[in-house]
Amino acid sequence: MSAIPEDFIQKTAQLSDDVTRPFPSSKKTYVTGSREDLRVPMREVECTPTHTEQGEELNPPIYIYDTSGPYTDPQVTIDLRQGLAEVRANWIAERDDTELLDGPTSEYGRQRQDDPELAHLRFEHIRQPRRAKAGKNVTQMHYARQGIITPEMEYIAIRENNKLQEMRGDPRYAKLLRQHAGESFGASIPEEITPEFVRDEVARGRAIIPANINHPELEPMIIGRNFRTKVNTNIGNSAVTSSIEEEVEKMVWSARWGGDTLMDLSTGKNIHETREWILRNAPMPIGTVPIYQALEKVDGKAEDLTWEIFRDTLIEQAEQGVDYFTIHAGVLLRYVPLTAERLTGIVSRGGSIMAKWCLAHHTESFLYTHFDEICEIMKAYDVSFSLGDGLRPGCIADANDAAQFAELETLGELTQKAWEHDCQVMIEGPGHVPLHKVKENVEKELADCYEAPFYTLGPLVTDIAPAYDHITSGIGAANIGWYGTAMLCYVTPKEHLGLPNKQDVRDGIITYKIAAHASDLAKGFPGTQVRDNALSKARFEFRWEDQFNLSLDPDRAREFHDETMPKEAHKVA
Amino acid sequence: MSAIPEDFIQKTAQLSDDVTRPFPSSKKTYVTGSREDLRVPMREVECTPTHTEQGEELNPPIYIYDTSGPYTDPQVTIDLRQGLAEVRANWIAERDDTELLDGPTSEYGRQRQDDPELAHLRFEHIRQPRRAKAGKNVTQMHYARQGIITPEMEYIAIRENNKLQEMRGDPRYAKLLRQHAGESFGASIPEEITPEFVRDEVARGRAIIPANINHPELEPMIIGRNFRTKVNTNIGNSAVTSSIEEEVEKMVWSARWGGDTLMDLSTGKNIHETREWILRNAPMPIGTVPIYQALEKVDGKAEDLTWEIFRDTLIEQAEQGVDYFTIHAGVLLRYVPLTAERLTGIVSRGGSIMAKWCLAHHTESFLYTHFDEICEIMKAYDVSFSLGDGLRPGCIADANDAAQFAELETLGELTQKAWEHDCQVMIEGPGHVPLHKVKENVEKELADCYEAPFYTLGPLVTDIAPAYDHITSGIGAANIGWYGTAMLCYVTPKEHLGLPNKQDVRDGIITYKIAAHASDLAKGFPGTQVRDNALSKARFEFRWEDQFNLSLDPDRAREFHDETMPKEAHKVA
């Protein structure tokens, strides 16, 4: 008998219909790779024929890169209490370089496991955690550098190509494949993404595959400037609001609208348990900022943080399956005074925690001094680094200043160090930057951090529009993506004002899908324009339903149309 | 006794409170120029002090360029039946180069005036129209080329400076005046906008002042790349929906949120009367596309259009006070076949009307062949040209193609012709353009059209997001503004789907105010960053009310904040 109360099960077992409903006129298809258990999901959108004077012209289906996971597959029975199927289980086991542990090896993980009062919140089917065998390194970068193409890499190649080669061989797509030559500012985007290309990019550190061995439910994806531009979303409960089931629902909601990765920024109670529910049901990589949880463990007093507490938190989360950690190891003591004359000082939460710690102890932070030990942990589970920009500008005035760029150079130094361990690394970036200063951020990041993937928040190109910061930042995001940023961290309309609700999350994601797609079009990523072309053709031919179905948000497009032109006649005119 | 029914008066005399309510903590101030009747409105936002350990630090007021007209001045009694006060009446009269006509000289204008059935719709206080005396040219460009600084030019100089010189002399603003050096791609933005600079820019055609002598209610503004980037909005009734009072309310709503100019694209009934109500109550320049109305006069049959009907329409509208006309005179017969291989053909309504006419008659359009006569009309009332891009691309695939750029070259030829008449000209631009092809549009426009101000719709940087096209186009708009476009025509979320309601208009305008402001920051327009700095300082100091009040949309910022952090305590923390 379950220890979990009935009402909690009721709530968590079910998702609301609007997060799982398949998209209109769409079906889930899978492309099988070199092995039966390598099945890459895509969304296939059916189109209606065009009626011409010469008869019917058939419009072929359009394939959409699918982040929604098993939730939109009517063949899959979703039970959040069971978690998702383990896509990667065999791949990890076959490599035979990991071992199953008896239980969590972190002190905190064991405490939570043994606390009977948490039974009613706990995910029921917690697996034994897995860890690299002694002396083994289980990062995708390590395999790549050995010349090994993992199933994850093959999966990604198929996923990124999105059936482009098949379309090229099919005359029905000839006109739809027309695409402008791009301007990619020195990126090296091939005409076809091969598994070997994926391996090579990961080996040289230009791309990462966040894929913890304890997150086998993951559908592998890649972050790198020679691949599709990705979008990260954030969720997180706080002391103020929301529960476990709300957070899980938000995660699925994020996947639905196109979130490629998701950061769980929870700071409230039971974040360990919440994280477990999220991970077991997450088809996308999950990131966290471990210092947030570490701070809770010392009751919010930054100066009481220690390496030991932080280390235990890393292991706790790595054994749950977190795929990437934001670590603000670049906040050096000597950089803190550089922020004194700023208009808005240090606005990164992680940055200000570490600055406070450094000043209190008058020494470099344990994140910096213990960086090699952090790498040892990361490579035992394949957690990727997301090196945090703790000194990012909090306003237009502070953009591209000495503090920001000093930290960026240190992140470059740490990138080299992590790479010596074959650890995967991406670099976080700002923030608030006027339009003409955006490019410099990418150029400096590529130079200082040796082309490690850049992962930026926005940037917002003006400070004067709270309540519309998804838009102010979406402008910056489209530009920075074009210049070479690999992943864009979304911003919702509630940024600076409050906590986003479901509609805010949707608005934020769609805005960032627009930015990412605009970047890919501008860079000339092969096949990107097919969807634009198909939708525009539908629009020109008044095939309203096809126009809606091919859009980023079919529901809202249809709803807006029906508000003023409600008649079916208008849709088939 | 009025012939207008009581209920119509009730409705039109009053605007809803939400379009006239003054902005929070804001007051209307006026800067008086060299003469008493030259009073330039600005919005002054009061800020609260910062509480520091050393005591209170005062935060000086911030001035905002104010497009809202007399509607937000509590000292002004608004009566839509009377229309606005005639700001420019003396200036026009003093020049003594115009004459009052007995009545409309257009045939259609007389018909409407004499039709007793229209009495219930008609604006009551129609003035006698004014026209240049024989042999006179009353364009602002003509005065500028004579070396005359008109009151309109002085007004604009004060308005564009927005008290910057006063702030520079006031130590309270020292920190707030910090600003990044811009990148303006060859614009010539001075440190201070002088009346002489305004004159010089208008004289050389790099800027226009749309200001019909029959629109004395106008608060003068300027469109040119060396001035603040402007935003145009569109309204218009159609056969489907909306009434005169709704259109007037939308015009005031547009002014409130920051629309600098407004196009009346009405195609329904009574557009002559609707236009009169709008003009008499409009503080901003009003533009139209006269071919739309001309087409109504021939029952929608493009091939039945004639020069005579079009000419009469120009005069009809010029005598009402329309400030700029979109004229698609660049659609040449030989360009039409260039659109044959396009994915979405000709999508401009004006463009397709003219292409149809050209093909039906197999001759160049009357807009092109009668261009000199059009100039004669324009200069008799000072109506500015907005040379339309009838062959603009309707999708990403068709961007920057031969048809589009061929037309642009013809627009350059027509610009030269118009300038020979001292007529003011701006050039319309696309549309749908991927991010990396945006700059080429500005470069070609500046080269082909001799730096005449560019006025673009968006452009949308992807086609895949109907229902979010304010955002897809806002991204393009911010970029094209930065590169040198002088005015951005807004797009609402309903673009491609239906008719915008009030909220859509607000979303569209705010998005475009963001784009325009981001452009100005990137170009380094002097003083632009003051508002960002003041708002960011307020944010950093948790002065929530100041943050809201300084934002583009104080109402929504406050509302979003209060949704999740409703307590007053959070706002003053």
Side-chain angles (χ1 to χ4, degrees):
Chain A
M1 202 194 116
S2 169
I4 306 180
E6 204 54 37
D7 65 332
F8 184 77
I9 291 178
Q10 283 297 330
K11 282 197 221 161
T12 52
Q14 284 167 22
L15 290 160
S16 64
D17 174 59
D18 61 348
V19 308
T20 56
R21 193 163 30 94
F23 284 91
S25 294
S26 294
K27 66 178 185 214
K28 194 102 175 175
T29 56
Y30 294 89
V31 176
T32 304
S34 63
R35 44 188 291 169
E36 275 307 307
D37 67 351
L38 202 163
R39 295 172 69 236
V40 182
M42 286 170 198
R43 174 149 71 92
E44 182 179 324
V45 184
E46 284 299 320
C47 293
T48 61
T50 305
H51 303 285
T52 72
E53 285 168 17
Q54 291 77 43
E56 282 202 344
E57 177 199 355
L58 294 179
N59 291 297
I62 300 298
Y63 297 93
I64 293 178
Y65 185 105
D66 189 357
T67 61
S68 65
Y71 297 101
T72 52
D73 185 345
Q75 309 300 318
V76 174
T77 308
I78 297 294
D79 181 350
L80 300 182
R81 289 167 306 178
Q82 297 295 331
L84 297 178
E86 301 186 3
V87 177
R88 297 168 61 222
N90 295 336
W91 312 345
I92 295 164
E94 284 170 16
R95 289 195 277 260
D96 196 27
D97 51 5
T98 56
E99 58 190 2
L100 277 178
L101 303 171
D102 293 336
T105 68
S106 68
E107 201 182 310
Y108 190 82
R110 280 194 304 269
Q111 266 177 37
R112 300 299 285 195
Q113 188 186 40
D114 299 341
D115 187 343
E117 298 203 355
L118 297 172
H120 69 289
L121 292 175
R122 202 174 287 131
F123 184 81
E124 265 186 298
H125 306 280
I126 298 185
R127 279 186 309 266
Q128 290 167 267
R130 204 174 263 282
R131 188 176 63 193
K133 287 181 182 168
K136 293 288 180 189
N137 183 334
V138 299
T139 71
Q140 293 287 324
M141 186 183 220
H142 184 70
Y143 304 133
R145 287 179 164 183
Q146 313 280 309
I148 298 166
I149 295 173
T150 62
E152 285 87 345
M153 296 172 197
E154 183 189 345
Y155 187 105
I156 285 164
I158 295 169
R159 197 172 190 185
E160 292 278 324
N161 282 322
N162 202 33
K163 291 221 183 198
L164 179 58
Q165 285 67 43
E166 290 83 340
M167 286 192 282
R168 284 190 178 136
D170 183 339
R172 295 177 305 163
Y173 291 96
K175 200 168 180 182
L176 295 178
L177 282 168
R178 289 198 311 192
Q179 181 162 338
H180 294 282
E183 161 57 83
S184 72
F185 302 103
S188 307
I189 304 167
E191 273 305 297
E192 177 178 356
I193 306 284
T194 61
E196 168 55 22
F197 180 75
V198 174
R199 188 204 61 73
D200 188 58
E201 290 286 299
V202 173
R204 58 162 84 188
R206 286 206 301 211
I208 67 169
I209 301 173
N212 186 322
I213 53 171
N214 289 308
H215 189 195
E217 302 87 351
L218 178 79
E219 297 178 353
M221 55 76 72
I222 195 161
I223 302 165
R225 73 195 273 233
N226 296 319
F227 300 92
R228 290 169 191 274
T229 306
K230 303 303 188 296
V231 173
N232 177 73
T233 68
N234 299 322
I235 59 167
N237 63 356
S238 75
V240 184
T241 54
S242 86
S243 60
I244 290 178
E245 62 270 23
E246 280 175 293
E247 295 309 307
V248 174
E249 169 121 353
K250 276 193 226 162
M251 177 273 292
V252 180
W253 184 244
S254 163
R256 177 179 185 80
W257 295 111
D260 292 287
T261 64
L262 180 137
M263 292 195 77
D264 175 11
L265 303 178
S266 296
T267 56
K269 274 184 190 170
N270 308 319
I271 56 185
H272 179 89
E273 288 68 30
T274 305
R275 190 185 305 125
E276 189 74 32
W277 280 96
I278 290 172
L279 276 161
R280 298 293 72 81
N281 289 288
M284 79 287 269
I286 300 296
T288 63
V289 189
I291 202 80
Y292 291 178
Q293 192 186 358
L295 191 69
E296 307 245 334
K297 294 176 183 173
V298 294
D299 296 324
K301 293 180 76 174
E303 52 276 30
D304 290 353
L305 284 165
T306 64
W307 160 242
E308 288 70 28
I309 288 166
F310 186 73
R311 182 179 173 280
D312 197 67
T313 307
L314 292 185
I315 294 171
E316 171 205 344
Q317 297 194 10
E319 291 183 353
Q320 288 188 294
V322 173
D323 301 288
Y324 58 101
F325 288 153
T326 292
I327 296 188
H328 299 91
V331 181
L332 299 190
L333 191 55
R334 67 179 180 276
Y335 298 160
V336 180
L338 296 178
T339 64
E341 281 306 299
R342 279 183 162 183
L343 192 62
T344 60
I346 300 178
V347 297
S348 150
R349 186 156 179 257
S352 60
I353 293 167
M354 294 323 298
K356 209 168 175 185
W357 192 94
C358 290
L359 292 177
H361 297 270
H362 205 76
T363 178
E364 294 303 358
S365 86
F366 50 81
L367 303 178
Y368 185 77
T369 56
H370 290 265
F371 195 76
D372 278 314
E373 288 160 86
I374 297 175
C375 291
E376 294 294 342
I377 297 168
M378 305 297 260
K379 71 192 190 195
Y381 304 95
D382 198 8
V383 183
S384 297
F385 277 104
S386 185
L387 290 175
D389 55 338
L391 303 181
R392 69 166 179 267
C395 65
I396 291 293
D398 295 341
N400 296 22
D401 73 352
Q404 185 198 333
F405 284 151
E407 182 187 32
L408 186 60
E409 284 171 30
T410 300
L411 298 186
E413 173 200 325
L414 295 170
T415 299
Q416 291 283 39
K417 231 181 216 193
W419 284 352
E420 284 164 20
H421 292 269
D422 292 350
C423 284
Q424 304 192 88
V425 180
M426 61 181 169
I427 307 291
E428 296 187 10
H432 295 242
V433 183
L435 210 43
H436 65 308
K437 298 275 179 187
V438 171
K439 194 155 183 263
E440 187 184 10
N441 278 274
V442 181
E443 288 167 348
K444 272 195 79 72
E445 191 276 341
L446 292 174
D448 292 353
C449 300
Y450 313 96
E451 295 192 88
F454 202 21
Y455 161 37
T456 65
L457 179 80
L460 288 75
V461 295
T462 166
D463 302 336
I464 69 169
Y468 298 83
D469 279 337
H470 58 312
I471 299 176
T472 62
S473 69
I475 293 169
N479 279 269
I480 210 165
W482 172 27
Y483 298 141
T485 293
M487 185 157 76
L488 308 169
C489 180
Y490 92 152
V491 169
T492 77
K494 291 278 170 59
E495 183 77 13
H496 298 120
L497 297 171
L499 296 172
N501 60 28
K502 260 171 90 175
Q503 286 317 308
D504 295 322
V505 168
R506 178 178 172 185
D507 282 328
I509 299 177
I510 299 291
T511 302
Y512 273 69
K513 294 301 280 185
I514 289 168
H517 188 81
S519 299
D520 288 342
L521 279 176
K523 286 162 72 176
F525 192 88
T528 307
Q529 205 182 299
V530 171
R531 190 173 177 184
D532 296 78
N533 294 348
L535 190 147
S536 290
K537 184 169 188 287
R539 177 178 285 157
F540 193 63
E541 294 167 353
F542 293 98
R543 288 183 284 118
W544 285 101
E545 291 293 337
D546 290 344
Q547 186 188 161
F548 304 150
N549 296 338
L550 288 165
S551 74
L552 283 177
D553 187 344
D555 301 343
R556 194 172 289 176
R558 181 174 287 103
E559 177 193 317
F560 276 9
H561 175 274
D562 290 354
E563 258 181 45
T564 50
M565 296 191 260
K567 298 217 185 69
E568 198 55 35
H570 276 104
K571 276 186 240 167
V572 293
Chain B
M1 205 195 114
S2 169
I4 306 179
E6 203 55 36
D7 66 330
F8 184 77
I9 291 178
Q10 284 295 331
K11 282 198 222 159
T12 52
Q14 284 167 21
L15 289 160
S16 64
D17 173 59
D18 61 348
V19 308
T20 56
R21 192 162 30 93
F23 284 92
S25 293
S26 294
K27 66 178 184 216
K28 194 102 174 176
T29 57
Y30 294 89
V31 176
T32 304
S34 63
R35 44 189 290 169
E36 276 306 306
D37 68 350
L38 201 162
R39 295 171 70 237
V40 182
M42 287 170 197
R43 175 150 70 92
E44 182 180 325
V45 183
E46 284 299 320
C47 293
T48 61
T50 306
H51 302 286
T52 71
E53 286 169 14
Q54 290 77 43
E56 282 202 342
E57 178 199 354
L58 294 178
N59 291 298
I62 299 299
Y63 297 93
I64 293 178
Y65 185 105
D66 189 356
T67 60
S68 64
Y71 298 100
T72 52
D73 186 345
Q75 309 299 318
V76 175
T77 307
I78 298 294
D79 180 350
L80 300 181
R81 289 166 304 178
Q82 297 294 331
L84 298 178
E86 301 187 4
V87 177
R88 298 168 61 222
N90 295 335
W91 314 344
I92 296 165
E94 284 170 17
R95 289 194 277 260
D96 196 28
D97 51 5
T98 57
E99 58 190 0
L100 276 177
L101 303 171
D102 294 335
T105 68
S106 68
E107 202 181 307
Y108 189 82
R110 281 196 302 270
Q111 265 177 37
R112 299 299 286 194
Q113 187 186 40
D114 298 342
D115 187 343
E117 298 202 355
L118 297 171
H120 69 290
L121 292 175
R122 202 175 287 132
F123 184 81
E124 263 186 300
H125 307 280
I126 299 185
R127 279 186 309 267
Q128 289 168 266
R130 204 176 262 282
R131 188 175 63 193
K133 287 180 182 169
K136 294 287 180 186
N137 183 334
V138 299
T139 71
Q140 293 287 324
M141 186 182 219
H142 184 70
Y143 303 134
R145 287 179 164 184
Q146 313 279 307
I148 298 166
I149 294 172
T150 61
E152 286 86 346
M153 296 172 196
E154 183 189 343
Y155 187 104
I156 285 164
I158 295 170
R159 197 172 191 185
E160 292 278 326
N161 283 321
N162 202 33
K163 292 220 183 198
L164 179 59
Q165 285 66 44
E166 290 83 341
M167 286 192 282
R168 284 190 178 138
D170 184 338
R172 295 178 304 164
Y173 291 95
K175 201 167 179 182
L176 296 177
L177 282 168
R178 290 198 309 191
Q179 182 163 337
H180 294 283
E183 161 57 83
S184 70
F185 302 103
S188 308
I189 304 167
E191 274 305 297
E192 176 177 356
I193 306 284
T194 61
E196 169 56 22
F197 180 76
V198 174
R199 187 204 61 73
D200 188 57
E201 290 286 297
V202 172
R204 59 162 85 187
R206 286 208 299 212
I208 67 170
I209 301 173
N212 187 322
I213 53 171
N214 288 308
H215 189 196
E217 302 87 352
L218 178 78
E219 297 178 354
M221 55 76 71
I222 196 161
I223 302 166
R225 72 195 275 234
N226 295 318
F227 301 91
R228 292 170 190 274
T229 306
K230 302 304 188 297
V231 173
N232 176 74
T233 68
N234 298 323
I235 60 168
N237 63 355
S238 74
V240 184
T241 54
S242 86
S243 60
I244 290 178
E245 62 268 23
E246 280 175 291
E247 295 309 307
V248 173
E249 169 121 353
K250 276 194 227 162
M251 177 272 291
V252 180
W253 184 245
S254 163
R256 177 179 185 80
W257 295 113
D260 292 287
T261 65
L262 180 137
M263 293 195 77
D264 175 11
L265 304 178
S266 295
T267 54
K269 272 185 192 171
N270 307 319
I271 57 185
H272 179 88
E273 288 67 31
T274 305
R275 189 185 307 126
E276 190 74 32
W277 281 96
I278 290 173
L279 276 160
R280 299 292 72 79
N281 289 288
M284 80 286 270
I286 300 295
T288 62
V289 189
I291 202 79
Y292 292 178
Q293 191 185 0
L295 191 69
E296 307 245 335
K297 295 177 182 172
V298 294
D299 297 324
K301 293 180 77 173
E303 52 275 31
D304 290 354
L305 284 165
T306 63
W307 160 242
E308 289 68 28
I309 289 166
F310 186 73
R311 182 180 173 281
D312 196 67
T313 306
L314 293 184
I315 295 170
E316 171 205 343
Q317 298 194 9
E319 292 184 352
Q320 288 187 295
V322 173
D323 302 287
Y324 58 101
F325 287 154
T326 292
I327 296 188
H328 299 91
V331 181
L332 299 192
L333 191 55
R334 66 179 181 276
Y335 299 161
V336 179
L338 296 178
T339 64
E341 282 306 298
R342 279 183 162 183
L343 192 63
T344 59
I346 300 177
V347 297
S348 150
R349 184 154 181 258
S352 61
I353 293 166
M354 293 322 299
K356 208 168 176 185
W357 192 94
C358 290
L359 293 176
H361 297 271
H362 205 76
T363 177
E364 294 303 358
S365 85
F366 49 82
L367 303 178
Y368 185 77
T369 57
H370 290 265
F371 195 75
D372 279 313
E373 288 159 87
I374 297 175
C375 292
E376 295 294 341
I377 297 168
M378 304 297 259
K379 70 191 189 195
Y381 304 94
D382 198 7
V383 183
S384 297
F385 277 104
S386 185
L387 291 175
D389 54 338
L391 302 182
R392 68 165 180 268
C395 63
I396 291 293
D398 296 341
N400 296 20
D401 73 352
Q404 185 197 333
F405 285 151
E407 182 187 33
L408 185 61
E409 283 170 34
T410 299
L411 298 185
E413 172 200 324
L414 295 169
T415 299
Q416 291 283 37
K417 230 181 219 195
W419 284 352
E420 284 165 21
H421 293 269
D422 292 350
C423 284
Q424 305 192 87
V425 180
M426 60 181 170
I427 307 291
E428 297 186 10
H432 295 242
V433 183
L435 210 42
H436 66 306
K437 298 274 179 189
V438 170
K439 194 154 183 263
E440 187 184 11
N441 278 274
V442 181
E443 287 167 348
K444 271 195 80 72
E445 190 276 341
L446 292 174
D448 292 353
C449 300
Y450 315 96
E451 297 192 87
F454 202 22
Y455 162 36
T456 63
L457 180 80
L460 288 75
V461 295
T462 166
D463 302 336
I464 68 169
Y468 298 84
D469 279 337
H470 58 314
I471 300 176
T472 62
S473 68
I475 293 169
N479 279 270
I480 209 164
W482 172 28
Y483 299 141
T485 293
M487 186 157 76
L488 309 169
C489 181
Y490 92 153
V491 169
T492 77
K494 291 279 169 60
E495 183 76 14
H496 297 120
L497 296 172
L499 296 172
N501 60 28
K502 259 172 89 175
Q503 287 316 310
D504 296 322
V505 168
R506 178 178 173 185
D507 282 329
I509 298 177
I510 299 290
T511 302
Y512 273 70
K513 293 301 279 187
I514 290 168
H517 187 80
S519 299
D520 288 342
L521 280 176
K523 286 163 71 177
F525 191 87
T528 307
Q529 206 181 299
V530 172
R531 189 173 179 184
D532 296 78
N533 294 347
L535 190 148
S536 291
K537 185 169 187 287
R539 177 179 285 157
F540 193 62
E541 294 167 353
F542 293 99
R543 288 184 285 117
W544 285 101
E545 291 294 338
D546 290 345
Q547 187 188 160
F548 304 150
N549 297 338
L550 289 165
S551 74
L552 282 176
D553 187 344
D555 301 342
R556 195 172 288 176
R558 182 174 287 103
E559 178 193 315
F560 277 9
H561 176 274
D562 290 354
E563 258 180 47
T564 49
M565 297 191 259
K567 298 216 185 72
E568 198 54 36
H570 276 104
K571 275 187 241 166
V572 293

